């Protein structure tokens, strides 16, 4: 449940920026840190199914926002830590 937070659609360019490594925030949520390691490595492969990787990260925030709210705010709402 996301409450009043709207998670950007998967076609938002910030998802690709995160997964490509163009944006590298420091994550507070351990589960997100671990997920991002796996996803960024997979995203860098030439045979990567990038839309599926973006979907997975999007689902993570949708399903785990209560744990990753601070990271979400830093990434998508520009709030500094």
């Amino acid at each position: 449940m996301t409450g009043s937070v709207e998670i950007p659609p998967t076609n938002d360019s910030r998802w690709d920026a995160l997964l490509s490594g163009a944006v590298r925030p420091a994550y507070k949520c351990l589960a997100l840190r671990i997920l991002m390691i796996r996803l960024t490595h997979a995203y860098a492969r030439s045979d990567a199914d990038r839309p599926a990787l973006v979907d997975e990260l999007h689902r993570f925030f949708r399903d785990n926002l209560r744990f990753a709210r601070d990271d979400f705010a830093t990434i998508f709402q520009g709030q500094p830590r």
Side-chain angles (χ1 to χ4, degrees):
M1 173 174 251
T2 61
S4 64
V5 175
E6 186 171 327
I7 298 175
T10 56
N11 64 352
D12 187 302
S13 63
R14 292 174 289 185
W15 295 113
D16 290 303
L18 282 171
L19 292 173
S20 70
V23 174
R24 293 180 176 258
Y27 302 108
K28 290 183 177 181
C29 175
L30 178 59
L32 179 58
R33 276 190 258 163
I34 293 167
L35 178 64
M36 287 303 296
I37 289 168
R38 184 176 62 75
L39 293 180
T40 54
H41 284 278
Y43 194 90
R45 293 178 49 137
S46 61
D47 63 344
D49 182 357
R50 291 187 175 108
L53 297 171
V54 170
D55 284 340
E56 185 174 350
L57 183 55
H58 185 273
R59 271 192 320 275
F60 173 86
F61 279 110
R62 184 194 66 211
D63 297 343
N64 299 288
L65 193 59
R66 66 185 177 272
F67 302 115
R69 186 175 296 272
D70 288 344
D71 292 318
F72 179 84
T74 299
I75 295 164
F76 291 103
Q77 298 168 349
Q79 297 176 2
R81 293 185 194 267

